[in-house]
Amino acid sequence: MKDISLYIHIPFCKQKCLYCDFPSYSGKERLMDGYIEALSNEILQKGKEYRISSIFIGGGTPSYLNELSLQKLLYTLNKLNLRDGLEFTVECNPGTLNEKNLNIMKKHNVNRISMGLQSTKNSLLKDIGRIHNYEEFVENYFLARKLGFDNINADLMFGLPNQTPEDWECSLRKVAELGLDHISAYSLIIEEGTWFYNLYEEDKLNLPEEDKERIMYLKTKDILNEYGYHQYEISNYSKKNKECFHNKVYWKCNEYLGLGASASSFINKKRIKNIDSIEEYIKRINNEESVIEEVHINNIKDDMEEFIFMGLRMIEGIKVEEFKERFNKDIYEVYGDIIEKNIKKELLINNSGNLYLTSHGIEISNYVMSDFILS
Ligand code: SF4
């Protein structure tokens, strides 16, 4: 039986954040029970063929599910062949956790909570359309700790409208002082189709200037190092032994099965995507029809590029030997000139067969990675 990681998509949110382009919807709560019913069918149909090595329930806001739906989903997942001690994460929003839903998670082997905090400053949370305040996060965090969760992540964002470097430093320090096990620190990206995109187009978004954003980026690593976190990916920091196994599956280009509306899978060199519409997803599952919208078969160039792009996101980088094992070709045969050029510019290092970005390389990683696109 093949080992695989499992991603489960929950497309419901209480309110749409102003920057969010994820496939998630508010005002569709009436579909929740039917969706979980259909999703449970898909899980049993497709998940039974594998041994599951990690589970990540994301969204959307999985912690926004009502108790019955949450229970049903977790009960179904526990029917699969789960590897002993697997990492089992549920994404949660502050303000949606309580003793009941946390206990349901605990009882069904969830052992990692990932909380979307974004900032500790309430006025900034309001400006970006979050439903919660910082105090609710702290309350939920301590409740989860009290109920025995010993692996908790918080997502934070920098480059927010009206945010200063001091605000960012304050967020990092407050969260680190709470003793989170893992911190993801992302920069805001203005995506098309969001409220922020429209405001940006109308020049109504007071984004920090480039040099201020750079200060925020540079502060992140130093401050989090001070509190005992190590950076293991461009935007991810963890305490010892608390790196996220599931995310590393993506960065290492290993296989995963994505179930639910909008979910994506990578299996047997195929990238598969499910349909977005919740209504259509439920209808098709109930009619025993396929919910797959798109299948892309990767060619060797796609695979090589993805291996480099994703692998260089990790601080440990990629192994030259592994490239050869995967593609039956020496990496220098394909990328020799590009690797040498970036090493000369001190953006890349080759240390005993490990190829990774320098600190400056990480800072301008998009620029470095664009060099690795195969024509
Ligand atoms: S809670 Fe998360 S998924 Fe939902 S709208 Fe906000 S950012 Fe998007």
Side-chain angles (χ1 to χ4, degrees), residues 142-180:
F142 282 119
L143 181 62
R145 283 288 195 225
K146 190 179 119 196
L147 297 176
F149 288 94
D150 63 358
N151 195 357
I152 305 181
N153 166 64
D155 288 343
L156 292 175
M157 278 171 104
F158 64 95
L160 300 176
N162 309 319
Q163 189 182 36
T164 63
E166 292 72 32
D167 291 334
W168 177 238
E169 175 162 355
C170 178
S171 282
L172 289 171
R173 290 194 184 279
K174 273 184 162 177
V175 170
E177 270 160 26
L178 284 175
L180 274 283

Short mmCIF file of all heavy atoms in Angstrom, two decimals, residues 142-180:
data_model
loop_
_atom_site.label_atom_id
_atom_site.label_comp_id
_atom_site.label_asym_id
_atom_site.label_seq_id
_atom_site.Cartn_x
_atom_site.Cartn_y
_atom_site.Cartn_z
N PHE A 142 -4.78 29.53 24.71
CA PHE A 142 -4.61 28.93 26.04
C PHE A 142 -5.60 27.78 26.27
O PHE A 142 -5.27 26.81 26.95
CB PHE A 142 -4.71 29.99 27.14
CG PHE A 142 -3.43 30.78 27.27
CD1 PHE A 142 -3.42 32.15 27.06
CD2 PHE A 142 -2.23 30.15 27.57
CE1 PHE A 142 -2.23 32.88 27.14
CE2 PHE A 142 -1.03 30.86 27.66
CZ PHE A 142 -1.04 32.23 27.44
N LEU A 143 -6.77 27.90 25.70
CA LEU A 143 -7.74 26.81 25.82
C LEU A 143 -7.20 25.55 25.14
O LEU A 143 -7.26 24.44 25.69
CB LEU A 143 -9.08 27.24 25.20
CG LEU A 143 -10.21 26.22 25.29
CD1 LEU A 143 -10.57 25.90 26.74
CD2 LEU A 143 -11.45 26.73 24.54
N ALA A 144 -6.65 25.73 23.94
CA ALA A 144 -6.10 24.58 23.21
C ALA A 144 -4.95 23.95 24.00
O ALA A 144 -4.84 22.73 24.11
CB ALA A 144 -5.64 25.00 21.82
N ARG A 145 -4.11 24.79 24.57
CA ARG A 145 -3.00 24.29 25.41
C ARG A 145 -3.56 23.48 26.59
O ARG A 145 -3.09 22.39 26.88
CB ARG A 145 -2.16 25.45 25.94
CG ARG A 145 -1.22 26.06 24.93
CD ARG A 145 -0.06 25.13 24.63
NE ARG A 145 1.03 25.79 23.95
CZ ARG A 145 1.68 25.30 22.91
NH1 ARG A 145 1.34 24.14 22.38
NH2 ARG A 145 2.68 25.95 22.37
N LYS A 146 -4.58 24.07 27.23
CA LYS A 146 -5.15 23.43 28.42
C LYS A 146 -5.72 22.05 28.07
O LYS A 146 -5.62 21.11 28.85
CB LYS A 146 -6.27 24.33 28.98
CG LYS A 146 -6.79 23.90 30.34
CD LYS A 146 -7.86 24.84 30.83
CE LYS A 146 -9.16 24.08 31.02
NZ LYS A 146 -10.33 24.91 31.13
N LEU A 147 -6.26 21.93 26.85
CA LEU A 147 -6.86 20.66 26.46
C LEU A 147 -5.84 19.69 25.87
O LEU A 147 -6.18 18.63 25.36
CB LEU A 147 -8.00 20.90 25.47
CG LEU A 147 -9.16 21.71 26.05
CD1 LEU A 147 -10.21 22.01 25.01
CD2 LEU A 147 -9.81 20.97 27.23
N GLY A 148 -4.57 20.09 25.91
CA GLY A 148 -3.51 19.13 25.59
C GLY A 148 -2.88 19.25 24.22
O GLY A 148 -2.11 18.36 23.83
N PHE A 149 -3.17 20.30 23.46
CA PHE A 149 -2.52 20.44 22.14
C PHE A 149 -1.11 20.99 22.34
O PHE A 149 -0.94 22.09 22.86
CB PHE A 149 -3.35 21.35 21.22
CG PHE A 149 -4.61 20.69 20.75
CD1 PHE A 149 -5.80 20.88 21.44
CD2 PHE A 149 -4.60 19.85 19.65
CE1 PHE A 149 -6.97 20.25 21.03
CE2 PHE A 149 -5.77 19.21 19.22
CZ PHE A 149 -6.95 19.41 19.92
N ASP A 150 -0.13 20.21 21.90
CA ASP A 150 1.25 20.64 22.15
C ASP A 150 1.99 20.99 20.86
O ASP A 150 3.21 21.03 20.81
CB ASP A 150 2.02 19.56 22.93
CG ASP A 150 2.15 18.28 22.12
OD1 ASP A 150 1.63 18.23 20.99
OD2 ASP A 150 2.79 17.33 22.62
N ASN A 151 1.22 21.22 19.80
CA ASN A 151 1.83 21.63 18.54
C ASN A 151 0.91 22.66 17.88
O ASN A 151 -0.08 22.30 17.23
CB ASN A 151 2.04 20.41 17.64
CG ASN A 151 2.98 20.69 16.49
OD1 ASN A 151 3.45 21.83 16.33
ND2 ASN A 151 3.28 19.68 15.69
N ILE A 152 1.20 23.93 18.11
CA ILE A 152 0.31 25.00 17.62
C ILE A 152 1.08 26.01 16.78
O ILE A 152 2.15 26.48 17.19
CB ILE A 152 -0.40 25.72 18.80
CG1 ILE A 152 -1.13 24.69 19.69
CG2 ILE A 152 -1.38 26.78 18.28
CD1 ILE A 152 -1.89 25.30 20.86
N ASN A 153 0.53 26.30 15.61
CA ASN A 153 1.13 27.29 14.71
C ASN A 153 0.27 28.55 14.69
O ASN A 153 -0.94 28.48 14.86
CB ASN A 153 1.19 26.71 13.28
CG ASN A 153 1.46 27.78 12.24
OD1 ASN A 153 2.53 28.40 12.24
ND2 ASN A 153 0.51 28.05 11.37
N ALA A 154 0.93 29.69 14.46
CA ALA A 154 0.17 30.91 14.14
C ALA A 154 0.69 31.48 12.83
O ALA A 154 1.89 31.53 12.61
CB ALA A 154 0.33 31.94 15.25
N ASP A 155 -0.24 31.87 11.95
CA ASP A 155 0.12 32.57 10.72
C ASP A 155 0.13 34.06 11.01
O ASP A 155 -0.81 34.59 11.62
CB ASP A 155 -0.94 32.35 9.63
CG ASP A 155 -0.91 30.94 9.07
OD1 ASP A 155 0.09 30.23 9.25
OD2 ASP A 155 -1.92 30.56 8.42
N LEU A 156 1.19 34.73 10.57
CA LEU A 156 1.25 36.20 10.69
C LEU A 156 1.52 36.79 9.31
O LEU A 156 2.11 36.12 8.46
CB LEU A 156 2.40 36.60 11.63
CG LEU A 156 2.26 36.25 13.10
CD1 LEU A 156 3.54 36.61 13.85
CD2 LEU A 156 1.08 37.00 13.72
N MET A 157 1.11 38.04 9.12
CA MET A 157 1.35 38.68 7.82
C MET A 157 2.00 40.05 7.99
O MET A 157 1.62 40.82 8.88
CB MET A 157 0.02 38.89 7.09
CG MET A 157 -0.47 37.67 6.38
SD MET A 157 -2.12 37.95 5.81
CE MET A 157 -1.80 38.21 4.13
N PHE A 158 2.98 40.32 7.11
CA PHE A 158 3.56 41.67 7.10
C PHE A 158 3.31 42.33 5.74
O PHE A 158 2.90 41.67 4.79
CB PHE A 158 5.04 41.65 7.47
CG PHE A 158 5.94 40.92 6.50
CD1 PHE A 158 6.62 41.60 5.50
CD2 PHE A 158 6.15 39.56 6.61
CE1 PHE A 158 7.47 40.95 4.62
CE2 PHE A 158 6.99 38.88 5.73
CZ PHE A 158 7.65 39.58 4.74
N GLY A 159 3.54 43.64 5.72
CA GLY A 159 3.25 44.39 4.49
C GLY A 159 1.77 44.74 4.41
O GLY A 159 1.24 45.01 3.33
N LEU A 160 1.10 44.76 5.57
CA LEU A 160 -0.34 45.07 5.58
C LEU A 160 -0.57 46.57 5.45
O LEU A 160 0.30 47.36 5.86
CB LEU A 160 -0.97 44.60 6.90
CG LEU A 160 -0.87 43.11 7.24
CD1 LEU A 160 -1.44 42.85 8.63
CD2 LEU A 160 -1.60 42.29 6.19
N PRO A 161 -1.72 46.99 4.94
CA PRO A 161 -2.02 48.43 4.89
C PRO A 161 -1.94 49.03 6.29
O PRO A 161 -2.40 48.40 7.25
CB PRO A 161 -3.47 48.48 4.38
CG PRO A 161 -3.74 47.15 3.79
CD PRO A 161 -2.81 46.17 4.40
N ASN A 162 -1.34 50.18 6.38
CA ASN A 162 -1.20 50.94 7.64
C ASN A 162 -0.26 50.29 8.66
O ASN A 162 -0.20 50.74 9.80
CB ASN A 162 -2.56 51.19 8.31
CG ASN A 162 -3.57 51.76 7.35
OD1 ASN A 162 -3.22 52.62 6.55
ND2 ASN A 162 -4.80 51.26 7.39
N GLN A 163 0.44 49.23 8.28
CA GLN A 163 1.32 48.54 9.24
C GLN A 163 2.71 49.19 9.23
O GLN A 163 3.26 49.46 8.16
CB GLN A 163 1.43 47.07 8.85
CG GLN A 163 2.14 46.19 9.86
CD GLN A 163 2.26 44.74 9.36
OE1 GLN A 163 2.44 44.50 8.16
NE2 GLN A 163 2.15 43.79 10.25
N THR A 164 3.27 49.38 10.41
CA THR A 164 4.64 49.92 10.50
C THR A 164 5.58 48.78 10.89
O THR A 164 5.14 47.75 11.42
CB THR A 164 4.72 51.00 11.60
OG1 THR A 164 4.43 50.35 12.86
CG2 THR A 164 3.75 52.14 11.37
N PRO A 165 6.89 48.96 10.68
CA PRO A 165 7.85 47.94 11.13
C PRO A 165 7.72 47.67 12.64
O PRO A 165 7.89 46.55 13.09
CB PRO A 165 9.21 48.53 10.79
CG PRO A 165 8.93 49.41 9.60
CD PRO A 165 7.56 49.99 9.86
N GLU A 166 7.36 48.71 13.40
CA GLU A 166 7.19 48.53 14.86
C GLU A 166 5.99 47.63 15.14
O GLU A 166 6.04 46.78 16.04
CB GLU A 166 7.00 49.89 15.56
CG GLU A 166 8.22 50.80 15.56
CD GLU A 166 8.51 51.40 14.18
OE1 GLU A 166 7.55 51.65 13.42
OE2 GLU A 166 9.71 51.58 13.85
N ASP A 167 4.92 47.81 14.38
CA ASP A 167 3.74 46.93 14.54
C ASP A 167 4.15 45.48 14.31
O ASP A 167 3.74 44.57 15.04
CB ASP A 167 2.64 47.24 13.51
CG ASP A 167 1.99 48.58 13.73
OD1 ASP A 167 1.99 49.05 14.87
OD2 ASP A 167 1.48 49.14 12.74
N TRP A 168 4.93 45.28 13.25
CA TRP A 168 5.33 43.92 12.88
C TRP A 168 6.20 43.30 13.97
O TRP A 168 6.00 42.17 14.40
CB TRP A 168 6.06 43.95 11.53
CG TRP A 168 6.58 42.61 11.08
CD1 TRP A 168 7.88 42.31 10.79
CD2 TRP A 168 5.85 41.39 10.86
NE1 TRP A 168 8.00 40.99 10.41
CE2 TRP A 168 6.77 40.40 10.44
CE3 TRP A 168 4.50 41.04 10.98
CZ2 TRP A 168 6.38 39.09 10.15
CZ3 TRP A 168 4.12 39.72 10.69
CH2 TRP A 168 5.06 38.77 10.29
N GLU A 169 7.14 44.09 14.46
CA GLU A 169 8.03 43.59 15.51
C GLU A 169 7.21 43.21 16.75
O GLU A 169 7.43 42.17 17.38
CB GLU A 169 9.07 44.67 15.87
CG GLU A 169 9.93 44.25 17.04
CD GLU A 169 11.23 45.04 17.17
OE1 GLU A 169 11.53 45.88 16.31
OE2 GLU A 169 11.93 44.78 18.17
N CYS A 170 6.22 44.04 17.06
CA CYS A 170 5.37 43.80 18.22
C CYS A 170 4.60 42.48 18.04
O CYS A 170 4.52 41.66 18.96
CB CYS A 170 4.43 44.99 18.39
SG CYS A 170 3.31 44.79 19.73
N SER A 171 4.06 42.24 16.84
CA SER A 171 3.33 40.98 16.58
C SER A 171 4.25 39.79 16.78
O SER A 171 3.89 38.81 17.44
CB SER A 171 2.81 40.94 15.14
OG SER A 171 1.67 41.73 15.02
N LEU A 172 5.45 39.87 16.19
CA LEU A 172 6.37 38.73 16.29
C LEU A 172 6.72 38.45 17.75
O LEU A 172 6.70 37.30 18.20
CB LEU A 172 7.67 39.03 15.52
CG LEU A 172 7.57 39.05 14.00
CD1 LEU A 172 8.87 39.59 13.40
CD2 LEU A 172 7.29 37.66 13.44
N ARG A 173 7.03 39.52 18.49
CA ARG A 173 7.46 39.31 19.88
C ARG A 173 6.31 38.78 20.74
O ARG A 173 6.50 37.87 21.54
CB ARG A 173 8.02 40.61 20.48
CG ARG A 173 9.34 41.00 19.89
CD ARG A 173 10.06 42.07 20.69
NE ARG A 173 11.28 42.47 20.00
CZ ARG A 173 12.43 41.80 20.04
NH1 ARG A 173 12.54 40.71 20.77
NH2 ARG A 173 13.48 42.23 19.36
N LYS A 174 5.13 39.33 20.56
CA LYS A 174 4.00 38.88 21.38
C LYS A 174 3.73 37.39 21.16
O LYS A 174 3.51 36.63 22.11
CB LYS A 174 2.74 39.68 21.04
CG LYS A 174 2.61 40.98 21.81
CD LYS A 174 1.28 41.59 21.44
CE LYS A 174 0.84 42.64 22.42
NZ LYS A 174 -0.40 43.28 22.02
N VAL A 175 3.72 36.99 19.89
CA VAL A 175 3.40 35.60 19.57
C VAL A 175 4.53 34.68 20.05
O VAL A 175 4.28 33.62 20.62
CB VAL A 175 3.14 35.46 18.05
CG1 VAL A 175 3.04 34.02 17.65
CG2 VAL A 175 1.84 36.18 17.69
N ALA A 176 5.76 35.12 19.84
CA ALA A 176 6.90 34.28 20.28
C ALA A 176 6.88 34.14 21.81
O ALA A 176 7.16 33.06 22.34
CB ALA A 176 8.20 34.89 19.80
N GLU A 177 6.53 35.22 22.48
CA GLU A 177 6.50 35.15 23.95
C GLU A 177 5.43 34.19 24.45
O GLU A 177 5.56 33.58 25.51
CB GLU A 177 6.29 36.55 24.55
CG GLU A 177 7.63 37.24 24.81
CD GLU A 177 7.52 38.75 24.93
OE1 GLU A 177 6.43 39.23 25.30
OE2 GLU A 177 8.52 39.43 24.63
N LEU A 178 4.37 34.04 23.68
CA LEU A 178 3.33 33.07 24.08
C LEU A 178 3.86 31.64 23.98
O LEU A 178 3.29 30.72 24.57
CB LEU A 178 2.09 33.20 23.18
CG LEU A 178 1.17 34.38 23.42
CD1 LEU A 178 0.09 34.40 22.35
CD2 LEU A 178 0.52 34.28 24.81
N GLY A 179 4.91 31.46 23.19
CA GLY A 179 5.53 30.13 23.10
C GLY A 179 4.92 29.22 22.05
O GLY A 179 4.94 27.99 22.18
N LEU A 180 4.38 29.81 20.96
CA LEU A 180 3.87 28.98 19.85
C LEU A 180 4.98 28.02 19.40
O LEU A 180 6.16 28.33 19.52
CB LEU A 180 3.50 29.90 18.68
CG LEU A 180 2.12 30.55 18.60
CD1 LEU A 180 1.07 29.56 18.16
CD2 LEU A 180 1.69 31.22 19.88
#
